[in-house]
mmCIF file with all atom_site columns, all heavy atoms in Angstrom:
data_model
loop_
_atom_site.group_PDB
_atom_site.id
_atom_site.type_symbol
_atom_site.label_atom_id
_atom_site.label_alt_id
_atom_site.label_comp_id
_atom_site.label_asym_id
_atom_site.label_entity_id
_atom_site.label_seq_id
_atom_site.pdbx_PDB_ins_code
_atom_site.Cartn_x
_atom_site.Cartn_y
_atom_site.Cartn_z
_atom_site.occupancy
_atom_site.B_iso_or_equiv
_atom_site.pdbx_formal_charge
_atom_site.auth_seq_id
_atom_site.auth_comp_id
_atom_site.auth_asym_id
_atom_site.auth_atom_id
_atom_site.pdbx_PDB_model_num
ATOM 1   N N   . LEU A 1 111 ? 53.433 -2.652  120.981 1.00 80.00 ? 351 LEU A N   1
ATOM 2   C CA  . LEU A 1 111 ? 53.272 -1.233  120.657 1.00 80.00 ? 351 LEU A CA  1
ATOM 3   C C   . LEU A 1 111 ? 51.986 -0.971  119.880 1.00 80.00 ? 351 LEU A C   1
ATOM 4   O O   . LEU A 1 111 ? 51.323 0.038   120.097 1.00 80.00 ? 351 LEU A O   1
ATOM 5   C CB  . LEU A 1 111 ? 54.482 -0.729  119.879 1.00 80.00 ? 351 LEU A CB  1
ATOM 6   C CG  . LEU A 1 111 ? 55.782 -0.674  120.679 1.00 80.00 ? 351 LEU A CG  1
ATOM 7   C CD1 . LEU A 1 111 ? 56.958 -0.332  119.786 1.00 80.00 ? 351 LEU A CD1 1
ATOM 8   C CD2 . LEU A 1 111 ? 55.670 0.305   121.830 1.00 80.00 ? 351 LEU A CD2 1
ATOM 9   N N   . THR A 1 112 ? 51.625 -1.887  118.995 1.00 83.00 ? 352 THR A N   1
ATOM 10  C CA  . THR A 1 112 ? 50.384 -1.731  118.239 1.00 83.00 ? 352 THR A CA  1
ATOM 11  C C   . THR A 1 112 ? 49.199 -1.677  119.190 1.00 83.00 ? 352 THR A C   1
ATOM 12  O O   . THR A 1 112 ? 48.301 -0.839  119.033 1.00 83.00 ? 352 THR A O   1
ATOM 13  C CB  . THR A 1 112 ? 50.222 -2.885  117.224 1.00 83.00 ? 352 THR A CB  1
ATOM 14  O OG1 . THR A 1 112 ? 51.341 -2.864  116.323 1.00 83.00 ? 352 THR A OG1 1
ATOM 15  C CG2 . THR A 1 112 ? 48.941 -2.753  116.430 1.00 83.00 ? 352 THR A CG2 1
ATOM 16  N N   . ARG A 1 113 ? 49.192 -2.535  120.195 1.00 86.00 ? 353 ARG A N   1
ATOM 17  C CA  . ARG A 1 113 ? 48.101 -2.525  121.189 1.00 86.00 ? 353 ARG A CA  1
ATOM 18  C C   . ARG A 1 113 ? 48.044 -1.194  121.934 1.00 86.00 ? 353 ARG A C   1
ATOM 19  O O   . ARG A 1 113 ? 46.968 -0.752  122.335 1.00 86.00 ? 353 ARG A O   1
ATOM 20  C CB  . ARG A 1 113 ? 48.280 -3.664  122.202 1.00 86.00 ? 353 ARG A CB  1
ATOM 21  C CG  . ARG A 1 113 ? 47.856 -5.003  121.672 1.00 86.00 ? 353 ARG A CG  1
ATOM 22  C CD  . ARG A 1 113 ? 47.670 -6.034  122.789 1.00 86.00 ? 353 ARG A CD  1
ATOM 23  N NE  . ARG A 1 113 ? 48.681 -6.028  123.805 1.00 86.00 ? 353 ARG A NE  1
ATOM 24  C CZ  . ARG A 1 113 ? 49.723 -6.842  123.867 1.00 86.00 ? 353 ARG A CZ  1
ATOM 25  N NH1 . ARG A 1 113 ? 49.888 -7.756  122.946 1.00 86.00 ? 353 ARG A NH1 1
ATOM 26  N NH2 . ARG A 1 113 ? 50.594 -6.764  124.847 1.00 86.00 ? 353 ARG A NH2 1
ATOM 27  N N   . GLN A 1 114 ? 49.193 -0.545  122.122 1.00 84.00 ? 354 GLN A N   1
ATOM 28  C CA  . GLN A 1 114 ? 49.220 0.731   122.841 1.00 84.00 ? 354 GLN A CA  1
ATOM 29  C C   . GLN A 1 114 ? 48.678 1.880   121.991 1.00 84.00 ? 354 GLN A C   1
ATOM 30  O O   . GLN A 1 114 ? 48.242 2.893   122.533 1.00 84.00 ? 354 GLN A O   1
ATOM 31  C CB  . GLN A 1 114 ? 50.654 1.076   123.281 1.00 84.00 ? 354 GLN A CB  1
ATOM 32  C CG  . GLN A 1 114 ? 51.377 0.009   124.065 1.00 84.00 ? 354 GLN A CG  1
ATOM 33  C CD  . GLN A 1 114 ? 50.582 -0.513  125.234 1.00 84.00 ? 354 GLN A CD  1
ATOM 34  O OE1 . GLN A 1 114 ? 50.148 0.248   126.077 1.00 84.00 ? 354 GLN A OE1 1
ATOM 35  N NE2 . GLN A 1 114 ? 50.380 -1.818  125.277 1.00 84.00 ? 354 GLN A NE2 1
ATOM 36  N N   . MET A 1 115 ? 48.695 1.733   120.680 1.00 90.00 ? 355 MET A N   1
ATOM 37  C CA  . MET A 1 115 ? 48.293 2.809   119.774 1.00 90.00 ? 355 MET A CA  1
ATOM 38  C C   . MET A 1 115 ? 46.789 2.923   119.598 1.00 90.00 ? 355 MET A C   1
ATOM 39  O O   . MET A 1 115 ? 46.284 3.970   119.190 1.00 90.00 ? 355 MET A O   1
ATOM 40  C CB  . MET A 1 115 ? 48.923 2.609   118.387 1.00 90.00 ? 355 MET A CB  1
ATOM 41  C CG  . MET A 1 115 ? 50.426 2.752   118.348 1.00 90.00 ? 355 MET A CG  1
ATOM 42  S SD  . MET A 1 115 ? 50.935 4.440   118.654 1.00 90.00 ? 355 MET A SD  1
ATOM 43  C CE  . MET A 1 115 ? 51.764 4.259   120.218 1.00 90.00 ? 355 MET A CE  1
ATOM 44  N N   . VAL A 1 116 ? 46.047 1.851   119.874 1.00 93.00 ? 356 VAL A N   1
ATOM 45  C CA  . VAL A 1 116 ? 44.608 1.825   119.593 1.00 93.00 ? 356 VAL A CA  1
ATOM 46  C C   . VAL A 1 116 ? 43.819 1.504   120.856 1.00 93.00 ? 356 VAL A C   1
ATOM 47  O O   . VAL A 1 116 ? 44.375 1.036   121.844 1.00 93.00 ? 356 VAL A O   1
ATOM 48  C CB  . VAL A 1 116 ? 44.289 0.805   118.470 1.00 93.00 ? 356 VAL A CB  1
ATOM 49  C CG1 . VAL A 1 116 ? 44.935 1.231   117.153 1.00 93.00 ? 356 VAL A CG1 1
ATOM 50  C CG2 . VAL A 1 116 ? 44.725 -0.600  118.845 1.00 93.00 ? 356 VAL A CG2 1
ATOM 51  N N   . SER A 1 117 ? 42.517 1.758   120.804 1.00 93.00 ? 357 SER A N   1
ATOM 52  C CA  . SER A 1 117 ? 41.652 1.429   121.943 1.00 93.00 ? 357 SER A CA  1
ATOM 53  C C   . SER A 1 117 ? 41.513 -0.071  122.108 1.00 93.00 ? 357 SER A C   1
ATOM 54  O O   . SER A 1 117 ? 41.453 -0.588  123.223 1.00 93.00 ? 357 SER A O   1
ATOM 55  C CB  . SER A 1 117 ? 40.256 2.014   121.733 1.00 93.00 ? 357 SER A CB  1
ATOM 56  O OG  . SER A 1 117 ? 40.305 3.396   121.538 1.00 93.00 ? 357 SER A OG  1
ATOM 57  N N   . GLU A 1 118 ? 41.442 -0.776  120.980 1.00 92.00 ? 358 GLU A N   1
ATOM 58  C CA  . GLU A 1 118 ? 41.279 -2.227  121.014 1.00 92.00 ? 358 GLU A CA  1
ATOM 59  C C   . GLU A 1 118 ? 41.916 -2.830  119.770 1.00 92.00 ? 358 GLU A C   1
ATOM 60  O O   . GLU A 1 118 ? 41.830 -2.263  118.682 1.00 92.00 ? 358 GLU A O   1
ATOM 61  C CB  . GLU A 1 118 ? 39.792 -2.580  121.061 1.00 92.00 ? 358 GLU A CB  1
ATOM 62  C CG  . GLU A 1 118 ? 39.510 -4.044  121.235 1.00 92.00 ? 358 GLU A CG  1
ATOM 63  C CD  . GLU A 1 118 ? 38.025 -4.359  121.325 1.00 92.00 ? 358 GLU A CD  1
ATOM 64  O OE1 . GLU A 1 118 ? 37.204 -3.423  121.466 1.00 92.00 ? 358 GLU A OE1 1
ATOM 65  O OE2 . GLU A 1 118 ? 37.690 -5.552  121.259 1.00 92.00 ? 358 GLU A OE2 1
ATOM 66  N N   . LEU A 1 119 ? 42.549 -3.968  119.964 1.00 90.00 ? 359 LEU A N   1
ATOM 67  C CA  . LEU A 1 119 ? 43.184 -4.695  118.872 1.00 90.00 ? 359 LEU A CA  1
ATOM 68  C C   . LEU A 1 119 ? 42.622 -6.107  118.871 1.00 90.00 ? 359 LEU A C   1
ATOM 69  O O   . LEU A 1 119 ? 42.676 -6.792  119.892 1.00 90.00 ? 359 LEU A O   1
ATOM 70  C CB  . LEU A 1 119 ? 44.702 -4.721  119.085 1.00 90.00 ? 359 LEU A CB  1
ATOM 71  C CG  . LEU A 1 119 ? 45.546 -5.511  118.099 1.00 90.00 ? 359 LEU A CG  1
ATOM 72  C CD1 . LEU A 1 119 ? 45.439 -4.919  116.695 1.00 90.00 ? 359 LEU A CD1 1
ATOM 73  C CD2 . LEU A 1 119 ? 46.992 -5.517  118.551 1.00 90.00 ? 359 LEU A CD2 1
ATOM 74  N N   . ARG A 1 120 ? 42.051 -6.503  117.751 1.00 92.00 ? 360 ARG A N   1
ATOM 75  C CA  . ARG A 1 120 ? 41.504 -7.860  117.626 1.00 92.00 ? 360 ARG A CA  1
ATOM 76  C C   . ARG A 1 120 ? 42.188 -8.553  116.472 1.00 92.00 ? 360 ARG A C   1
ATOM 77  O O   . ARG A 1 120 ? 42.475 -7.934  115.451 1.00 92.00 ? 360 ARG A O   1
ATOM 78  C CB  . ARG A 1 120 ? 40.006 -7.827  117.329 1.00 92.00 ? 360 ARG A CB  1
ATOM 79  C CG  . ARG A 1 120 ? 39.160 -7.261  118.414 1.00 92.00 ? 360 ARG A CG  1
ATOM 80  C CD  . ARG A 1 120 ? 37.700 -7.353  118.018 1.00 92.00 ? 360 ARG A CD  1
ATOM 81  N NE  . ARG A 1 120 ? 36.886 -6.513  118.887 1.00 92.00 ? 360 ARG A NE  1
ATOM 82  C CZ  . ARG A 1 120 ? 35.717 -6.028  118.551 1.00 92.00 ? 360 ARG A CZ  1
ATOM 83  N NH1 . ARG A 1 120 ? 35.203 -6.270  117.356 1.00 92.00 ? 360 ARG A NH1 1
ATOM 84  N NH2 . ARG A 1 120 ? 35.041 -5.281  119.397 1.00 92.00 ? 360 ARG A NH2 1
ATOM 85  N N   . CYS A 1 121 ? 42.393 -9.843  116.636 1.00 91.00 ? 361 CYS A N   1
ATOM 86  C CA  . CYS A 1 121 ? 42.991 -10.639 115.570 1.00 91.00 ? 361 CYS A CA  1
ATOM 87  C C   . CYS A 1 121 ? 42.302 -11.991 115.546 1.00 91.00 ? 361 CYS A C   1
ATOM 88  O O   . CYS A 1 121 ? 42.151 -12.629 116.592 1.00 91.00 ? 361 CYS A O   1
ATOM 89  C CB  . CYS A 1 121 ? 44.488 -10.802 115.818 1.00 91.00 ? 361 CYS A CB  1
ATOM 90  S SG  . CYS A 1 121 ? 45.321 -11.708 114.512 1.00 91.00 ? 361 CYS A SG  1
ATOM 91  N N   . ARG A 1 122 ? 41.881 -12.399 114.360 1.00 92.00 ? 362 ARG A N   1
ATOM 92  C CA  . ARG A 1 122 ? 41.247 -13.704 114.241 1.00 92.00 ? 362 ARG A CA  1
ATOM 93  C C   . ARG A 1 122 ? 41.399 -14.210 112.809 1.00 92.00 ? 362 ARG A C   1
ATOM 94  O O   . ARG A 1 122 ? 41.759 -13.463 111.908 1.00 92.00 ? 362 ARG A O   1
ATOM 95  C CB  . ARG A 1 122 ? 39.779 -13.630 114.656 1.00 92.00 ? 362 ARG A CB  1
ATOM 96  C CG  . ARG A 1 122 ? 38.922 -12.754 113.788 1.00 92.00 ? 362 ARG A CG  1
ATOM 97  C CD  . ARG A 1 122 ? 37.532 -12.544 114.389 1.00 92.00 ? 362 ARG A CD  1
ATOM 98  N NE  . ARG A 1 122 ? 36.731 -11.619 113.635 1.00 92.00 ? 362 ARG A NE  1
ATOM 99  C CZ  . ARG A 1 122 ? 36.783 -10.299 113.719 1.00 92.00 ? 362 ARG A CZ  1
ATOM 100 N NH1 . ARG A 1 122 ? 37.652 -9.730  114.516 1.00 92.00 ? 362 ARG A NH1 1
ATOM 101 N NH2 . ARG A 1 122 ? 36.003 -9.536  113.000 1.00 92.00 ? 362 ARG A NH2 1
ATOM 102 N N   . ARG A 1 123 ? 41.104 -15.465 112.650 1.00 92.00 ? 363 ARG A N   1
ATOM 103 C CA  . ARG A 1 123 ? 41.079 -16.094 111.333 1.00 92.00 ? 363 ARG A CA  1
ATOM 104 C C   . ARG A 1 123 ? 39.613 -16.174 110.931 1.00 92.00 ? 363 ARG A C   1
ATOM 105 O O   . ARG A 1 123 ? 38.782 -16.648 111.712 1.00 92.00 ? 363 ARG A O   1
ATOM 106 C CB  . ARG A 1 123 ? 41.711 -17.477 111.437 1.00 92.00 ? 363 ARG A CB  1
ATOM 107 C CG  . ARG A 1 123 ? 41.993 -18.138 110.136 1.00 92.00 ? 363 ARG A CG  1
ATOM 108 C CD  . ARG A 1 123 ? 43.326 -17.713 109.575 1.00 92.00 ? 363 ARG A CD  1
ATOM 109 N NE  . ARG A 1 123 ? 43.599 -18.507 108.388 1.00 92.00 ? 363 ARG A NE  1
ATOM 110 C CZ  . ARG A 1 123 ? 44.377 -18.125 107.419 1.00 92.00 ? 363 ARG A CZ  1
ATOM 111 N NH1 . ARG A 1 123 ? 45.030 -16.989 107.504 1.00 92.00 ? 363 ARG A NH1 1
ATOM 112 N NH2 . ARG A 1 123 ? 44.568 -18.882 106.378 1.00 92.00 ? 363 ARG A NH2 1
ATOM 113 N N   . GLU A 1 124 ? 39.279 -15.668 109.752 1.00 91.00 ? 364 GLU A N   1
ATOM 114 C CA  . GLU A 1 124 ? 37.893 -15.617 109.302 1.00 91.00 ? 364 GLU A CA  1
ATOM 115 C C   . GLU A 1 124 ? 37.829 -15.997 107.831 1.00 91.00 ? 364 GLU A C   1
ATOM 116 O O   . GLU A 1 124 ? 38.457 -15.345 106.996 1.00 91.00 ? 364 GLU A O   1
ATOM 117 C CB  . GLU A 1 124 ? 37.355 -14.199 109.516 1.00 91.00 ? 364 GLU A CB  1
ATOM 118 C CG  . GLU A 1 124 ? 35.897 -14.027 109.252 1.00 91.00 ? 364 GLU A CG  1
ATOM 119 C CD  . GLU A 1 124 ? 35.452 -12.621 109.615 1.00 91.00 ? 364 GLU A CD  1
ATOM 120 O OE1 . GLU A 1 124 ? 35.226 -12.374 110.817 1.00 91.00 ? 364 GLU A OE1 1
ATOM 121 O OE2 . GLU A 1 124 ? 35.357 -11.775 108.699 1.00 91.00 ? 364 GLU A OE2 1
ATOM 122 N N   . GLN A 1 125 ? 37.110 -17.059 107.524 1.00 92.00 ? 365 GLN A N   1
ATOM 123 C CA  . GLN A 1 125 ? 36.957 -17.533 106.151 1.00 92.00 ? 365 GLN A CA  1
ATOM 124 C C   . GLN A 1 125 ? 38.303 -17.707 105.448 1.00 92.00 ? 365 GLN A C   1
ATOM 125 O O   . GLN A 1 125 ? 38.494 -17.278 104.316 1.00 92.00 ? 365 GLN A O   1
ATOM 126 C CB  . GLN A 1 125 ? 36.039 -16.597 105.359 1.00 92.00 ? 365 GLN A CB  1
ATOM 127 C CG  . GLN A 1 125 ? 34.645 -16.514 105.945 1.00 92.00 ? 365 GLN A CG  1
ATOM 128 C CD  . GLN A 1 125 ? 33.770 -15.502 105.243 1.00 92.00 ? 365 GLN A CD  1
ATOM 129 O OE1 . GLN A 1 125 ? 34.240 -14.639 104.501 1.00 92.00 ? 365 GLN A OE1 1
ATOM 130 N NE2 . GLN A 1 125 ? 32.477 -15.599 105.476 1.00 92.00 ? 365 GLN A NE2 1
ATOM 131 N N   . GLY A 1 126 ? 39.254 -18.305 106.149 1.00 91.00 ? 366 GLY A N   1
ATOM 132 C CA  . GLY A 1 126 ? 40.567 -18.579 105.576 1.00 91.00 ? 366 GLY A CA  1
ATOM 133 C C   . GLY A 1 126 ? 41.481 -17.378 105.455 1.00 91.00 ? 366 GLY A C   1
ATOM 134 O O   . GLY A 1 126 ? 42.495 -17.432 104.781 1.00 91.00 ? 366 GLY A O   1
ATOM 135 N N   . ARG A 1 127 ? 41.122 -16.276 106.123 1.00 95.00 ? 367 ARG A N   1
ATOM 136 C CA  . ARG A 1 127 ? 41.926 -15.060 106.049 1.00 95.00 ? 367 ARG A CA  1
ATOM 137 C C   . ARG A 1 127 ? 42.270 -14.576 107.450 1.00 95.00 ? 367 ARG A C   1
ATOM 138 O O   . ARG A 1 127 ? 41.510 -14.773 108.392 1.00 95.00 ? 367 ARG A O   1
ATOM 139 C CB  . ARG A 1 127 ? 41.144 -13.944 105.334 1.00 95.00 ? 367 ARG A CB  1
ATOM 140 C CG  . ARG A 1 127 ? 40.723 -14.306 103.929 1.00 95.00 ? 367 ARG A CG  1
ATOM 141 C CD  . ARG A 1 127 ? 39.836 -13.233 103.335 1.00 95.00 ? 367 ARG A CD  1
ATOM 142 N NE  . ARG A 1 127 ? 40.671 -12.160 102.820 1.00 95.00 ? 367 ARG A NE  1
ATOM 143 C CZ  . ARG A 1 127 ? 40.214 -10.976 102.445 1.00 95.00 ? 367 ARG A CZ  1
ATOM 144 N NH1 . ARG A 1 127 ? 38.932 -10.689 102.555 1.00 95.00 ? 367 ARG A NH1 1
ATOM 145 N NH2 . ARG A 1 127 ? 41.018 -10.063 101.971 1.00 95.00 ? 367 ARG A NH2 1
ATOM 146 N N   . ASN A 1 128 ? 43.420 -13.928 107.565 1.00 94.00 ? 368 ASN A N   1
ATOM 147 C CA  . ASN A 1 128 ? 43.774 -13.241 108.806 1.00 94.00 ? 368 ASN A CA  1
ATOM 148 C C   . ASN A 1 128 ? 43.051 -11.899 108.802 1.00 94.00 ? 368 ASN A C   1
ATOM 149 O O   . ASN A 1 128 ? 43.038 -11.196 107.797 1.00 94.00 ? 368 ASN A O   1
ATOM 150 C CB  . ASN A 1 128 ? 45.282 -12.986 108.878 1.00 94.00 ? 368 ASN A CB  1
ATOM 151 C CG  . ASN A 1 128 ? 46.066 -14.270 108.965 1.00 94.00 ? 368 ASN A CG  1
ATOM 152 O OD1 . ASN A 1 128 ? 45.784 -15.126 109.798 1.00 94.00 ? 368 ASN A OD1 1
ATOM 153 N ND2 . ASN A 1 128 ? 47.046 -14.424 108.088 1.00 94.00 ? 368 ASN A ND2 1
ATOM 154 N N   . LEU A 1 129 ? 42.460 -11.559 109.935 1.00 96.00 ? 369 LEU A N   1
ATOM 155 C CA  . LEU A 1 129 ? 41.763 -10.283 110.073 1.00 96.00 ? 369 LEU A CA  1
ATOM 156 C C   . LEU A 1 129 ? 42.261 -9.610  111.348 1.00 96.00 ? 369 LEU A C   1
ATOM 157 O O   . LEU A 1 129 ? 42.060 -10.121 112.446 1.00 96.00 ? 369 LEU A O   1
ATOM 158 C CB  . LEU A 1 129 ? 40.248 -10.493 110.146 1.00 96.00 ? 369 LEU A CB  1
ATOM 159 C CG  . LEU A 1 129 ? 39.387 -9.297  110.559 1.00 96.00 ? 369 LEU A CG  1
ATOM 160 C CD1 . LEU A 1 129 ? 39.608 -8.096  109.653 1.00 96.00 ? 369 LEU A CD1 1
ATOM 161 C CD2 . LEU A 1 129 ? 37.918 -9.698  110.573 1.00 96.00 ? 369 LEU A CD2 1
ATOM 162 N N   . VAL A 1 130 ? 42.949 -8.496  111.179 1.00 95.00 ? 370 VAL A N   1
ATOM 163 C CA  . VAL A 1 130 ? 43.406 -7.688  112.304 1.00 95.00 ? 370 VAL A CA  1
ATOM 164 C C   . VAL A 1 130 ? 42.567 -6.420  112.304 1.00 95.00 ? 370 VAL A C   1
ATOM 165 O O   . VAL A 1 130 ? 42.521 -5.704  111.299 1.00 95.00 ? 370 VAL A O   1
ATOM 166 C CB  . VAL A 1 130 ? 44.908 -7.348  112.182 1.00 95.00 ? 370 VAL A CB  1
ATOM 167 C CG1 . VAL A 1 130 ? 45.340 -6.407  113.302 1.00 95.00 ? 370 VAL A CG1 1
ATOM 168 C CG2 . VAL A 1 130 ? 45.755 -8.616  112.184 1.00 95.00 ? 370 VAL A CG2 1
ATOM 169 N N   . SER A 1 131 ? 41.892 -6.163  113.417 1.00 95.00 ? 371 SER A N   1
ATOM 170 C CA  . SER A 1 131 ? 41.050 -4.973  113.541 1.00 95.00 ? 371 SER A CA  1
ATOM 171 C C   . SER A 1 131 ? 41.707 -3.985  114.495 1.00 95.00 ? 371 SER A C   1
ATOM 172 O O   . SER A 1 131 ? 41.977 -4.311  115.645 1.00 95.00 ? 371 SER A O   1
ATOM 173 C CB  . SER A 1 131 ? 39.658 -5.350  114.071 1.00 95.00 ? 371 SER A CB  1
ATOM 174 O OG  . SER A 1 131 ? 38.996 -6.185  113.152 1.00 95.00 ? 371 SER A OG  1
ATOM 175 N N   . LEU A 1 132 ? 41.964 -2.793  113.984 1.00 96.00 ? 372 LEU A N   1
ATOM 176 C CA  . LEU A 1 132 ? 42.504 -1.689  114.776 1.00 96.00 ? 372 LEU A CA  1
ATOM 177 C C   . LEU A 1 132 ? 41.321 -0.778  115.087 1.00 96.00 ? 372 LEU A C   1
ATOM 178 O O   . LEU A 1 132 ? 40.760 -0.154  114.188 1.00 96.00 ? 372 LEU A O   1
ATOM 179 C CB  . LEU A 1 132 ? 43.570 -0.938  113.981 1.00 96.00 ? 372 LEU A CB  1
ATOM 180 C CG  . LEU A 1 132 ? 44.723 -1.794  113.448 1.00 96.00 ? 372 LEU A CG  1
ATOM 181 C CD1 . LEU A 1 132 ? 45.569 -1.007  112.469 1.00 96.00 ? 372 LEU A CD1 1
ATOM 182 C CD2 . LEU A 1 132 ? 45.558 -2.333  114.587 1.00 96.00 ? 372 LEU A CD2 1
ATOM 183 N N   . ILE A 1 133 ? 40.936 -0.729  116.347 1.00 95.00 ? 373 ILE A N   1
ATOM 184 C CA  . ILE A 1 133 ? 39.711 -0.036  116.741 1.00 95.00 ? 373 ILE A CA  1
ATOM 185 C C   . ILE A 1 133 ? 40.063 1.169   117.608 1.00 95.00 ? 373 ILE A C   1
ATOM 186 O O   . ILE A 1 133 ? 40.778 1.039   118.605 1.00 95.00 ? 373 ILE A O   1
ATOM 187 C CB  . ILE A 1 133 ? 38.778 -0.991  117.510 1.00 95.00 ? 373 ILE A CB  1
ATOM 188 C CG1 . ILE A 1 133 ? 38.446 -2.193  116.614 1.00 95.00 ? 373 ILE A CG1 1
ATOM 189 C CG2 . ILE A 1 133 ? 37.524 -0.265  117.977 1.00 95.00 ? 373 ILE A CG2 1
ATOM 190 C CD1 . ILE A 1 133 ? 37.851 -3.366  117.345 1.00 95.00 ? 373 ILE A CD1 1
ATOM 191 N N   . MET A 1 134 ? 39.535 2.318   117.213 1.00 94.00 ? 374 MET A N   1
ATOM 192 C CA  . MET A 1 134 ? 39.729 3.541   117.974 1.00 94.00 ? 374 MET A CA  1
ATOM 193 C C   . MET A 1 134 ? 38.357 4.001   118.448 1.00 94.00 ? 374 MET A C   1
ATOM 194 O O   . MET A 1 134 ? 37.507 4.384   117.638 1.00 94.00 ? 374 MET A O   1
ATOM 195 C CB  . MET A 1 134 ? 40.378 4.618   117.101 1.00 94.00 ? 374 MET A CB  1
ATOM 196 C CG  . MET A 1 134 ? 40.925 5.789   117.850 1.00 94.00 ? 374 MET A CG  1
ATOM 197 S SD  . MET A 1 134 ? 42.344 5.409   118.911 1.00 94.00 ? 374 MET A SD  1
ATOM 198 C CE  . MET A 1 134 ? 43.675 5.266   117.734 1.00 94.00 ? 374 MET A CE  1
ATOM 199 N N   . ARG A 1 135 ? 38.122 3.899   119.757 1.00 91.00 ? 375 ARG A N   1
ATOM 200 C CA  . ARG A 1 135 ? 36.874 4.387   120.347 1.00 91.00 ? 375 ARG A CA  1
ATOM 201 C C   . ARG A 1 135 ? 37.075 5.879   120.610 1.00 91.00 ? 375 ARG A C   1
ATOM 202 O O   . ARG A 1 135 ? 37.838 6.266   121.478 1.00 91.00 ? 375 ARG A O   1
ATOM 203 C CB  . ARG A 1 135 ? 36.560 3.652   121.640 1.00 91.00 ? 375 ARG A CB  1
ATOM 204 C CG  . ARG A 1 135 ? 36.197 2.217   121.393 1.00 91.00 ? 375 ARG A CG  1
ATOM 205 C CD  . ARG A 1 135 ? 35.605 1.564   122.612 1.00 91.00 ? 375 ARG A CD  1
ATOM 206 N NE  . ARG A 1 135 ? 35.693 0.132   122.645 1.00 91.00 ? 375 ARG A NE  1
ATOM 207 C CZ  . ARG A 1 135 ? 35.455 -0.716  121.664 1.00 91.00 ? 375 ARG A CZ  1
ATOM 208 N NH1 . ARG A 1 135 ? 35.119 -0.268  120.497 1.00 91.00 ? 375 ARG A NH1 1
ATOM 209 N NH2 . ARG A 1 135 ? 35.558 -2.014  121.822 1.00 91.00 ? 375 ARG A NH2 1
#
Side-chain angles (χ1 to χ4, degrees):
L351 292 173
T352 300
R353 282 196 317 262
Q354 307 309 305
M355 293 292 113
V356 296
S357 303
E358 186 178 349
L359 176 63
R360 295 183 194 156
C361 183
R362 64 189 175 278
R363 191 85 174 155
E364 187 175 279
Q365 299 175 344
R367 301 174 82 192
N368 294 309
L369 169 57
V370 175
S371 296
L372 305 169
I373 301 165
M374 194 67 76
R375 291 192 202 316

